[in-house]
Structures are given as C-alpha cells and as structure tokens.
C-alpha cells in the first residue's frame, strides 16, 4: 500500500508459508481504494501486467511505484501518480534499461523501499546494488560458488539504516546459508549455515536502531514448531534463541513484524503494537550478549568509547590521574586486568604496566608495558574493558588494544593506532590524545565495518601478533606484507606470511568461499608493488601469477566446460556492471517493438521480413563463427588491476602504480590470465582511447604538414596561422601528458630513449609553429626535422595492431638488447675518428679561394686532382687545370666531419681516404688495417649475429603483449580521469574468461615439462585438468615414474658409496691391526738376535740394520696381504652390492616394464 495515497497493490501469488510452493508467473494490479477502480500501467513491456519469479514490484518511500522486469524487456520502471482531467493516473516518469545477461532466466531483482535495486547474476555469481533514483551503481557483492540457484527461495533484505544486506540461499547439501554484507564496503561480516532442510518462514530485520536484529525462522513440519535464529549486528554472530518461546505467540497467529511494529490482520480488525513492548522480546534483549567475533569488527563499541571521550574533552573534562604504586583493577567476564602507572625519571615519560588474572584457573599472565608522553605530576589515560574482554587504552602515544593469550599465558598487543608522532610529541598530553581520537574517528567514519589499518612503529609494534592471525591477514594483509617487505631483516618472514596467505586463500577457493578467497588474494596483490621494490629476489609477482594460473570455476550450476561456445580463445564473458543505469532511448523502444512483432511480421509480411533479415544473413555469410569447446576460468583482479575507491583530483599529477601497470618483465606475459586481462582491457576501453589519441595526434601532425608542405601561393597566410595555432594548442596538450609522465616516474622517464623521442616529436613542431607565427621566414632545417619526427612518431602508432605490432616489438626489443654493443661500437668509431683527425688534419693555413701549395701533404690543395692538356700529337702541354678543393676534400680537417667520414668507412665507403698515397704513409695504412679488421670484419659480423639472436629472442607473443600492456598502462595512468579508473565494468574485481580446450591441451603438455608451472596449480584445478585430459594424467604419471627412478638411482649410488666406504674402513682397520702385530713380533725377534751376536757393535750400526729390517718386513707384508685383501674386498662387495641393487631396482624395473607396455600399446593404436 502506498504511504501517500489510498492505493493498494495486489499481487496474485502464493507466499512461501509452512512449506507451500510458490506459483509463478504472478499477475499484479494497482487498485485505487477510494474509487475501487483498477489503474492501468500503459507502458511498453508491462501491458500484460505479469511478472516472473525474477521480477519485483514495490512502493517507494516517496509514494512512487517501482517495478523491475529483468526478463524479456530488461527494464525497471518508476511510476508517479499525477492528476489529468480531474483524475489521478499512474504515469511512467522513468524507464530504465537493466543489465542483460547471457543467461537472463537466472537474473533476479529485488527493490527496496528506499529505491535500492538489487540484481542477482549467475554469470558472474554476484549481486549488484543500484540506486534507482540517481541511476548510480553503489556496490557489488561476490557470492560463494556453493550456493544453489533456486530463485523463488533466495531472499534479500536490508536493515533500517541501509548499512547491512542479508541474503539467504540454499547450498549443495540441501541446507541453507545466510550471509550478511556491509553495504558500505561490500565485506562479508557474518554467515551461518543451517544443515536442516526446513522451510524458510521469516527472513527480515526487526526492531529499531541499536536493538535491531536479523530474524530468521524455519517451519519444522515434523514437530510442527518454529526454529528461530537471531543475528545481532553489534556482535556479528548468530545465536539460536535461548528461549524457544521467543515471539512464539506472534508466529503462531496471523501476525506480521515490520521493523518495530507487530501488525495483526483479522477479519474485522487491524491491530498494531510495538515490538519493543513485547515481553519475550524485551527478555531476549536484556540477556547479556558477549561480543565473540574478532576485535577488528567491533567498531560500534569502540566508536562509542571514542565519542564519549571526545565529548568530555570538548568541555575540558580531562581524566587526569596521579601516579601511584597501587595497581588498579578492571574486571571483565573471563579475566581481570591489573594496571599500574609510574613515572620514569630517566626517560621522562609515563610507564604503564598491565597484567591479567584469568578467572578460570586463577593464574596471572606475564606483564606487558608501554609508555606515554605525560608530565611528572600526573598522567592522562583512558581505559575500557570491551565486551570480549579485550582492553583498550587511549594515551598521548596512541590507541592500543591488548588481548589475553590463554594458551601462552601472556598479554598480546593486537592493535595500535596513532597520528604522526613527530608532529604531536611536543604537545600536551590532552592535545595529543584529542588529535589521536579525532583522526581515528574520521577513519572510522569512512569505513564503519572494520577498524582502520593498524600502525606498525619502531618501538610500538603489533606486527608479531597480527602476522599469525588469519583474520588480520584477511583484513590488513597488505599493510603487514608491506611492513615486512620494507625491513631487510624480515625477508624470510615475508615468505612465511605470503605462504600463509596463499594457504588460507587456497583453502577458501577449494571450499567455494570466493568472497574470502578474493580478500586474501587482494591483500597479496596490493603489496606486490612494494615487495618488488624492496626485494626483487623475492619474485613476488611471478609467484602470484603462478599460484592463480588456470583457476577453474568451482560452481555447482556453472559448468566449467562449455561444449558449444562462440567466444574466441581467452575472451571474457559475463556481465560487468556500468557506473550508471541508462534511460530507455528511442532506439531501445524500437528494438523491443521489432522483437515483439517479429513473428507477426514474419507471418503477415514475409517480404518486409526478408528485407529486414537480409543484413543479418549477409553478416552470417561472411562472418560465420563456429562453436568450439572451451573451459571457463577466472582471474581475481581486486588490488591487482584496480584502484582505491577513495580518490581526489590530485591524481592528475601524482598517481601510484598498481601491480598491472608495474608488469615490466616479458616473462609475466606467458601466463594466460595476463593475456586474457590484456584482451579484456583492450576490447573494453583500450582501443577506444588509443584510436582517440591517434586521431588527436593525426590532427596535430596534419596541421603542421599542410603548412610546411603546401606552397604559400596555394594557401593564404590567415589559414596558415589557424593551422599553426591548432598545432600549438594540440602540442601543449601532448606536452602536458609528457610532463605528467615525468612527474610520475622521473628517473624512468629520463632513462627511456622513447620518451625523449616523443618529447622531441611534440616540442619541435610546437616551437617551430610559435616561431613561424612571429617570423614568416624560418630555417628549412627546423621544418625538416619537425616533419621527420612527426611522421616517424605517426608510424609508431601502428605498433598496437597485431599485424604490425610483432615487428615493432622485435625492433624495440632488439634495440634494447644491443644498446650496450652499440655504445661500444660508437666509442670505437669515436676513437678512430679522433686518431685520423690528428693524423690527417692540415698543419698549415689554407684558403679555398686562394691556391696554396706547401709541403703539408694534408693541405686540401695538395689532395685535389690535377688535369693537364694533351695536344693532338700526344704531347703534354705546360698548362694544367686544378680542381678547386672544398670541405669534402679533406673530411678529417675537422673532428665533426671526421666522425662522418669514419661512419662512411664503417659502411664500406673509403673514398674519404682515397686522396692519400698509402705507400709513404705507414701510420694511415696501420689504422686502416686495424679499422677494417676490428670493425668491418669482426664487429659488424658480430653485430649481425647478435641481431639474429635478439630477433629470435623477441620474436614471440610475449614481447607484443608487453608492448600492448605499456600502452594500456599509459592510458590508465595519464589519459583517464580519476572517476574513470573506478568504473566497475572497466576495472573488475574478478575477470571470467573462456579458453579453448584445444589450446589448453597444448599448453598443458608444455607445462608438464616445466615442473614449476604444473606443480603450483591448485589441487582442485590439477585434478579437474587431469580428469579432462587423461593423456596429461598419464604424462604426469610417467614423469613422476621417471623422477622416482632417477631418485632411486641416486639413492642406490649413495648406498653403494656409503657401504663401500664402510667396508674399506673396516678392512683398513684390520690391516693396521695385523701390520702392527707382525711388526712388533718381527722387531722383537730381530732385536733379540742382534743383541746376542753383536753386543759390541755401535748403536749406529744397530739403527741401520733395524731400518733395513723394517723395510724388508714391510715389503714382505705388502706382498703377502695385497692379493689376500683384494680378494676379500671383491668378494664382500660383490655379494652385498648384488643384494642391495636387486632390492633397489625391483620397483623401477617393474615401472619400466609397464612404461614399455604402455608405449607399445600406444604405437599399436
């Protein structure tokens, strides 16, 4: 019923109550209660007064009637009641075109009374939010892929202040899932899965303001009762009602609950009561509700605490306290906080120490402390124990939140935030606190769902706590990664954090939780630029692209294989929302009229039908697209190829790169997701901007060329001035963009030769045009250079076209690769030019007007040719003709011309030195021999070889895509306005695209050779690909078998080596022991014998005999043991190695046999 007029909206349908099925389509009618007459809605597309299950109809708060019909006509209508000829009639004041999907039967619309329109799309799986009044796009909610498509049971509801959106869907297991999103940030803030397959009875927000709750009730047909769940937006948690009788008296009768009102409709009476006065409801609200979710979502309680402090500070009610040795206690539900404050005389600041006493086991945690900039007399400290037992401190040094870790029996700093401490450290404590609070409140006003990103300081740091917190990584992962990336001593921790983020995101993707998967991946994507800046060796971007390569859509309704796709390879699909909804145009009305009357036209007017259809048939005859089998893939782009939603027009002068505009390595472009992204960007906006830039430059060029080429007699001076002014104007526009590029990356701009060429091609014609206007006569050489630069730059515009782009990519890539060689060659040319200049320059003065013949052989008059007269009788006459020299006679007279002469010599033209006689000039001959060998023969042939290698290296698709990406990056950063970089249909959160199965098969065969690519695919993706391509699975198994065989072989080698070393050591020990025993025995016998027979001999003779005896004994032992030990070693090794080799090769030999059987089978097939 309309709120402003006595108008009733009647909809014929069965509402879902106690398990009844809904019958569609539904017919609607607008009835004036005062006149009891039916109102006619006379507008195209609504004449049948029918809506399918996808559409919606409702009265808006201003009394207008809104209708959404997302099928057949794809429009939304807004009707107003206007008075015509004394009667009120509903008139369509707005007809709005809705987004069309390739699966339109899966679109569903829901209109809220405040004019908010929700549209659910299957491809991609999202809900978009629009404002029907302003036509603006407001938010996009990415749904999980495990939700089932049953539109008649899917419900959307908003709370009273329009800050929360609640949706409910069936899931795979026939249960139901409820998700709650923030309409400000689009973040999922709560969810609940119900395993029971009961019928949904109520799904709405009830209550008002702070007492508002999401009310969910199910009808249990078996027990004939209701099951109730309630969501408290303050706690972000679902709780089953502790009292099963809550609102039972309402649910069991004909009651409706709308916000804070209970409406009962009986046959003869209508009663309206306040829900807040219902005893059961009041009892439920009075029951204590603890905040059990993460502290990062507890914005309302924290904001209330902040506002209360600010209110006191406005009236100068500061909480100034005196230092005391006595601790203060702050009780919570699960623990009691103990806080002590003392003044540190040495460091001149206040020290705060806190502990916590856990009530469950009566243990006391270890102490934590922080300091503040307070005076020696008193300190200012605001403290509050939150509902989840965390404690918040507000001091002059910042805002801190501590939590108890019961497992470690310790206190952890889980959140810290402050204003720039360098600016406020000299201020009073009260002023510092006030600054902290005001800035913090402003941040909360921007995003009321989560706390602002924490600050990681040098002395105050919650980094160690947050880096291991899953929720913190999901919300603040980019700040955590950037902080660790900037610290050179934290690179190992950066890898650990990245691995954790990938682990969490992969888990979310496998479970179909696309929303949280996107949040985790976006945190990594945002930090890629910083990580690459501080640590190139980390290869963060390469690993990121590797991890998310070939993400196959895991959806229960969208098949990841499309057997009859009309899309080309790596082409995007699905609906991507525009920034505005457009009004229905005359062309839209005409097309819909033709589609409505097409069958009528075909039957009644076949000739007109054939004429209208002939262009379409002509198109089909020349542009036939054959269906192909494709696979559907996705690429998460949030924070990778998107920009922050908060912006200002300062971006016109200073804008930071995102990860896409920082892709500066050609290897990045081998990934299919990057190729698909470039195709999407180019087809969506890239080619439009590029050809617009091309047209502007063409006008700039042609205006100058007309003036410089057409003679003055054919074009008047006034027309020339007009063309020159246009040239100057467009030249300044191009120059502004060059300046912006320089401001964006000064060093990159200066070091790029292409930027200098672009700058010259713009400035030369512009400056020449300015001079030309003030001075009609202008040097021809300036015009010549300007024309040359203009036309060469015009040629470079063709580099983006596929037909020409490959060659441009080769030319540019080769030039970059051989630049260092050209520098070396240039230095050699410079050296030879300088040497020849010193050797061949004239040493005496000369004039081209006056002949001068001297002993200087380098004098131009001595180098020119002399012609003598020969008479008819073949005698030479005395007179002769001398050729007058010029600057080209001796090009080595000046250093500048000697450079040119040596360059000509490099190309094979040696005419510059042909005037000298080599016979008497050995130094010239020496230089010419060295030059011809090292440059003409050696370096130029080397140069040709390098050119060939560089061409082979750059002659690939990756080089062309790299060139195209650079163009798209320049368009995004310098040619777009800030609001254009936030268009959701240009800068997507997720890109969906299709890839040819045939191309994928070839790609996977190459990938199986590269272990890094195939091994890093997600487990679910790898399994689907192996199921899709059994031969890939077989190749993978063979590869693994080969790897196992190789590993087994290496293991056998290691085992043999170890056992051989062990055996040799044992034998060596035995030999040493045997030798020692024999030597001792032999020596003893020898000494005894010598003592008996030669007592009188000297010690010297005894020593000689002993040495000789030892030598003989050693030789005997060596001979006797040599053969014996060799035989023992060979016998022992042979037996032991045979056993181990047989055991180690048993499995590999079996696998080899299977592999041979498989190959023979394939060959026979």
């Amino acid at each position: 019923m309309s709120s402003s007029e006595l108008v009733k909206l009647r909809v014929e349908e069965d509402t879902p109550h106690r398990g009844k099925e809904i019958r569609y389509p539904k017919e609607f009618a607008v009835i004036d209660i005062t006149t009891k007459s039916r109102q006619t809605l006379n507008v195209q597309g609504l004449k049948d007064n029918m809506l399918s299950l996808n559409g919606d109809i409702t009265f808006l708060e201003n009394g207008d009637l809104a209708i959404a019909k997302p099928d057949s006509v794809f429009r939304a209508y807004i009707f107003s009641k206007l008075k015509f000829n004394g009667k009120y009639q509903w008139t369509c004041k707005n007809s709005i075109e809705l987004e069309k999907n390739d699966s339109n039967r899966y679109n569903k619309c829901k209109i809220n009374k405040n004019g908010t329109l929700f549209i659910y799309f299957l491809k991609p799986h999202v809900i978009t939010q629009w404002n029907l009044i302003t036509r603006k796009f407001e938010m996009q909610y990415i749904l999980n892929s495990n939700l089932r498509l049953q539109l008649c049971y899917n419900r959307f509801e908003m709370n009273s202040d329009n800050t929360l959106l609640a949706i409910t869907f069936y899931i795979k297991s026939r249960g139901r899932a409820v998700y709650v999103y923030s309409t400000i940030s689009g973040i999922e803030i709560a969810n609940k899965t119900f395993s029971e397959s009961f019928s949904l009875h109520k799904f709405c927000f009830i209550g008002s303001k702070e007492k508002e709750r999401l009310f969910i009730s199910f009808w249990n047909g078996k027990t004939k009762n209701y099951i109730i769940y309630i969501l408290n937006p303050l706690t972000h948690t679902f709780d089953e009602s502790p009292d099963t009788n809550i609102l039972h008296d309402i649910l069991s009768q004909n009651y409706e609950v709308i916000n804070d009102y209970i409406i009962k409709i009986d046959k003869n009476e209508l009663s309206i009561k306040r829900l807040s006065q219902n005893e059961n409801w009041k009892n439920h609200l009075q029951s204590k509700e603890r905040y059990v979710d993460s502290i990062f979502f507890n914005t309302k309680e924290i904001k209330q605490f902040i506002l209360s402090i600010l209110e006191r500070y406005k009236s100068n009610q500061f909480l100034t306290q005196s230092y005391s040795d006595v601790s203060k206690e702050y009780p919570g539900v699960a623990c009691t906080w103990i806080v002590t404050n003392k003044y540190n005389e040495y460091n001149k600041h206040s020290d705060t120490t806190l502990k916590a006493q856990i009530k469950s086991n009566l243990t006391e945690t270890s102490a934590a402390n922080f300091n503040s900039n307070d005076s020696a007399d008193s300190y200012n400290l605001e403290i509050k124990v939150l509902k989840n037992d965390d404690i918040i401190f507000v001091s002059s040094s910042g805002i801190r939140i501590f939590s108890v870790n019961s497992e470690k029996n310790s206190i952890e700093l889980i959140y810290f935030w402050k204003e720039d401490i360098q600016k406020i450290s000299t201020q009073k404590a009260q002023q510092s606190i006030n600054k902290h609070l005001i800035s913090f409140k402003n941040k909360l006003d921007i995003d009321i769902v989560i706390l602002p990103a924490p600050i990681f300081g040098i002395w105050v740091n919650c980094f160690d706590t947050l880096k291991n917190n899953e929720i913190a990584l999901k919300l603040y992962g980019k700040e955590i990664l950037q902080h660790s990336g900037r610290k050179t001593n934290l690179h190992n921790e950066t890898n650990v954090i990245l691995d954790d983020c990938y682990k969490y995101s992969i888990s979310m993707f496998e479970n179909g939780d696309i929303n949280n998967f996107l949040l985790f991946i976006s945190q990594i994507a945002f930090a890629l630029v910083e990580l690459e800046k501080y640590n190139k060796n980390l290869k963060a971007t390469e690993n990121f692209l590797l991890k998310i390569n070939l993400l196959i859509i895991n959806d229960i309704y969208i098949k990841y294989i499309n057997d009859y796709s009309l899309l080309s390879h790596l082409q995007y699909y699905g609906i991507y929302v525009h920034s505005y909804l457009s009004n229905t145009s005359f062309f839209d009305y005409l097309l819909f009229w033709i589609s409505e009357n097409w069958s009528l036209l075909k039957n009644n007017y076949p000739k007109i039908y054939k004429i209208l259809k002939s262009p379409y048939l002509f198109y089909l005859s020349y542009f036939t697209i054959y269906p192909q089998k494709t696979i559907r893939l996705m690429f998460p782009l949030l924070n990778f190829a998107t920009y922050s939603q908060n912006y200002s027009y300062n971006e016109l002068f200073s804008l930071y790169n995102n990860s896409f505009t920082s892709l500066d390595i050609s290897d990045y472009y081998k990934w299919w997701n990057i190729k698909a992204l470039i195709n999407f960007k180019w087809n969506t906006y890239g080619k439009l901007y590029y050809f617009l830039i091309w047209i502007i430059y063409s006008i700039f060029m042609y205006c100058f060329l007309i003036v410089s080429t057409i003679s003055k007699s054919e074009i008047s001076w006034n027309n020339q001035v007009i063309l020159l002014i246009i040239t100057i104007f467009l030249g300044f526009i191009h120059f502004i963009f060059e300046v912006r590029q320089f401001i964006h990356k000064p060093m990159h701009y200066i070091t790029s030769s292409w930027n200098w060429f672009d700058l010259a091609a713009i400035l030369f014609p512009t400056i020449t045009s300015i001079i030309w206007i003030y001075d009609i006569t202008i040097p021809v050489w300036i015009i010549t250079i300007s024309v040359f630069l203009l036309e060469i730059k015009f040629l470079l515009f063709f580099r983006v076209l596929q037909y020409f782009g490959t060659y441009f990519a080769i030319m540019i890539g080769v030039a970059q690769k051989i630049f260092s060689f050209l520098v070396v060659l240039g230095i050699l040319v410079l050296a030879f030019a300088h040497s020849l200049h010193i050797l061949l320059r004239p040493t005496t003065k000369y004039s081209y007007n006056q002949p001068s013949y001297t002993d200087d052989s380098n004098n131009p008059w001595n180098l020119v040719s002399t012609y003598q007269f020969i008479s008819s009788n073949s005698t030479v006459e005395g007179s002769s003709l001398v050729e007058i020299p010029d600057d080209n006679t001796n090009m080595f007279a000046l250093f500048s011309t000697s450079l040119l002469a040596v360059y000509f010599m490099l190309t094979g033209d040696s005419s510059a030195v042909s005037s000298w006689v080599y016979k008497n000039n050995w130094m010239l001959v020496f230089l010419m021999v060295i030059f011809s060998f090292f440059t003409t023969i050696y370096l130029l042939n080397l140069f040709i070889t390098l050119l060939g290698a560089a061409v082979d290296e750059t002659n690939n698709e990756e080089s062309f895509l790299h060139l195209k990406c650079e163009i798209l990056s320049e368009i995004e950063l310098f040619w777009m306005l800030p609001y254009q970089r936030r268009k959701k249909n240009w800068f997507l959160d997720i890109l969906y695209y299709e890839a040819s199965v045939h191309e994928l098969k070839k790609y996977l065969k190459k990938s199986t050779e590269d272990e890094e690519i195939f091994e890093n695919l997600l487990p679910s993706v790898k399994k689907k690909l192996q199921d899709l391509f059994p031969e890939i699975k077989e190749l993978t198994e063979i590869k693994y078998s080969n790897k196992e065989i190789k590993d087994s072989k290496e293991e056998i080698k290691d085992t043999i080596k170890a056992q051989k070393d062990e055996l040799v050591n044992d034998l060596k020990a035995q030999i040493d022991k045997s030798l020692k025993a024999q030597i001792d025995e032999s020596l003893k016998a020898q000494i005894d014998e010598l003592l008996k027979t030669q007592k009188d001999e000297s010690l010297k003779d005894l020593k000689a005999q002993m040495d000789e005896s030892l030598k003989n004994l050693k030789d005997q032992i060596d001979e006797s043991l040599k053969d014996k030990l060799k035989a023992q070693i060979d016998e022992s090794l042979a037996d032991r190695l045979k056993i181990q080799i047989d055991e180690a090769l048993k499995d590999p030999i079996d696998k080899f046999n299977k592999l041979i059987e498989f190959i023979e089978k394939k060959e026979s097939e």
Side-chain angles (χ1 to χ4, degrees), residues 820-1090:
S820 57
F821 179 86
L822 293 177
V823 171
V824 173
L825 186 61
I827 294 174
L828 284 175
V829 169
L830 186 68
F832 277 102
H834 196 188
S835 300
L836 291 171
H837 167 63
I838 298 297
L839 178 66
L840 302 178
R841 65 182 176 181
T843 57
T844 59
K845 293 184 179 180
Y846 62 92
S847 172
Y848 293 129
N849 298 324
Q850 181 65 36
S852 60
Y853 300 97
T854 64
D855 294 336
D856 184 6
S857 61
N858 296 332
N859 190 322
W861 287 99
N862 295 329
L863 297 175
V864 294
S865 302
T866 302
Y867 303 95
Q868 293 183 333
F869 290 99
I870 301 176
S871 62
S872 57
N873 57 3
S874 301
T875 60
V876 177
E877 298 181 1
S879 60
S880 62
L881 294 175
V882 178
E883 183 180 348
I884 299 175
D886 55 18
D887 289 334
N888 292 329
T889 303
N890 185 356
M891 296 186 67
F892 299 99
L894 299 174
F895 180 69
S896 57
T897 53
S898 66
L899 282 172
L900 185 61
V902 173
Y903 173 76
F904 288 148
M905 290 166 59
L906 192 65
T907 62
D909 182 8
S910 60
S911 59
V913 294
S914 61
S915 299
W916 280 270
V917 180
Y918 294 140
K919 182 178 179 181
N920 299 323
N921 201 334
W922 65 269
M923 180 54 70
L924 177 61
V925 173
F926 175 74
L927 289 176
M928 291 299 296
V929 170
I930 294 177
F931 179 81
S932 61
F933 177 77
F934 281 102
T935 58
T936 309
I937 297 175
Y938 178 71
L939 287 181
L940 287 185
N941 282 284
L942 180 61
F943 179 61
I944 293 170
T945 305
L946 291 175
L947 278 177
V951 168
D952 292 338
E953 189 175 345
T954 56
N955 186 15
N956 51 50
E957 186 184 13
E958 286 77 15
S959 299
F960 172 67
L961 290 174
H962 190 182
L963 193 64
K964 206 169 185 178
C965 181
E966 289 178 350
I967 294 169
L968 289 169
S969 298
E970 285 190 13
I971 290 172
E972 287 184 17
L973 296 173
F974 308 114
W975 287 89
M976 282 187 180
L977 294 174
Y979 81 92
Q980 292 175 313
R981 285 189 284 269
R982 276 77 186 176
K983 296 180 72 171
K984 281 294 183 180
N985 59 321
W986 287 1
F987 299 92
L988 314 174
D989 291 341
I990 299 178
L991 172 66
Y992 298 91
Y993 63 99
E994 293 189 359
S996 168
V997 170
H998 177 69
E999 294 294 329
L1000 178 61
K1001 185 177 179 181
K1002 294 191 295 184
Y1003 179 76
L1004 288 175
K1005 284 185 177 180
K1006 293 180 181 179
S1007 299
T1008 52
E1009 299 173 2
D1010 189 343
E1011 293 184 9
E1012 186 182 20
I1013 295 177
F1014 199 78
E1015 288 299 322
N1016 279 280
L1017 293 177
L1018 300 189
S1020 62
V1021 172
K1022 195 183 301 183
K1023 184 178 183 303
K1024 286 180 180 178
L1025 291 176
Q1026 290 177 343
D1027 293 340
L1028 181 62
F1029 304 109
E1031 59 271 28
I1032 300 297
K1033 185 177 181 180
E1034 292 173 357
L1035 286 173
T1036 307
E1037 291 176 351
I1038 292 171
K1039 184 177 179 182
Y1040 287 153
S1041 298
N1042 293 335
K1043 186 178 179 182
E1044 289 178 4
I1045 292 170
K1046 185 178 179 181
D1047 294 340
S1048 299
K1049 185 178 178 181
E1050 293 295 329
E1051 186 179 348
I1052 291 170
K1053 287 182 178 180
D1054 294 338
T1055 304
I1056 292 172
K1057 184 179 178 182
Q1059 292 182 355
K1060 183 178 179 181
D1061 293 340
E1062 183 181 355
L1063 183 59
V1064 170
N1065 291 332
D1066 292 342
L1067 291 175
K1068 185 178 179 182
Q1070 293 176 9
I1071 291 169
D1072 291 340
K1073 186 177 180 181
S1074 177
L1075 280 173
K1076 185 177 180 182
Q1078 292 184 20
I1079 289 170
D1080 292 342
E1081 185 178 352
S1082 176
L1083 282 174
K1084 186 178 180 182
Q1086 292 277 345
I1087 291 169
D1088 291 341
E1089 185 179 354
L1090 286 172

Side-chain angles (χ1 to χ4, degrees), residues 3-30:
S3 60
S4 58
E5 301 289 344
L6 293 176
V7 178
K8 181 179 180 181
L9 179 65
R10 181 185 177 190
V11 181
E12 294 289 342
E13 66 168 355
D14 283 344
T15 56
H17 180 62
R18 297 192 180 183
K20 289 185 180 180
E21 295 293 331
I22 302 176
R23 293 200 299 266
Y24 287 99
K26 54 188 179 184
E27 182 180 3
F28 65 90
V30 182

Side-chain angles (χ1 to χ4, degrees), residues 84-100:
F84 293 99
N85 300 324
K87 295 182 179 180
Y88 285 99
Q89 294 182 358
W90 287 97
T91 304
C92 180
K93 69 176 184 180
N94 282 312
S95 177
I96 304 166
E97 294 294 307
L98 300 180
E99 299 283 352
K100 297 179 177 62

Side-chain angles (χ1 to χ4, degrees), residues 1082-1097 1101-1107 1109:
S1082 176
L1083 282 174
K1084 186 178 180 182
Q1086 292 277 345
I1087 291 169
D1088 291 341
E1089 185 179 354
L1090 286 172
L1091 288 172
K1092 266 184 185 183
T1093 58
Q1094 299 180 357
K1095 292 181 180 180
D1096 298 332
E1097 291 185 3
D1101 294 337
L1102 178 61
K1103 183 178 182 297
Q1105 289 180 6
M1106 288 176 65
D1107 291 339
S1109 299

Side-chain angles (χ1 to χ4, degrees), residues 175-193:
R176 182 173 285 274
V178 176
Y179 294 89
V180 179
Y181 298 90
S182 164
T183 58
I184 298 174
S185 62
I187 293 178
E188 175 195 318
I189 60 175
N191 67 78
K192 177 74 174 180
T193 300

Side-chain angles (χ1 to χ4, degrees), residues 306 309-310 313 382 394 399 417 432-442:
I306 298 298
I309 300 173
L310 285 174
Y313 274 40
E382 304 286 347
V394 179
I399 300 172
W417 198 92
S432 300
I433 294 175
N434 199 47
K435 280 233 176 194
H436 288 311
L437 294 177
I438 292 175
S439 180
F440 188 76
K441 173 187 171 296
N442 294 335

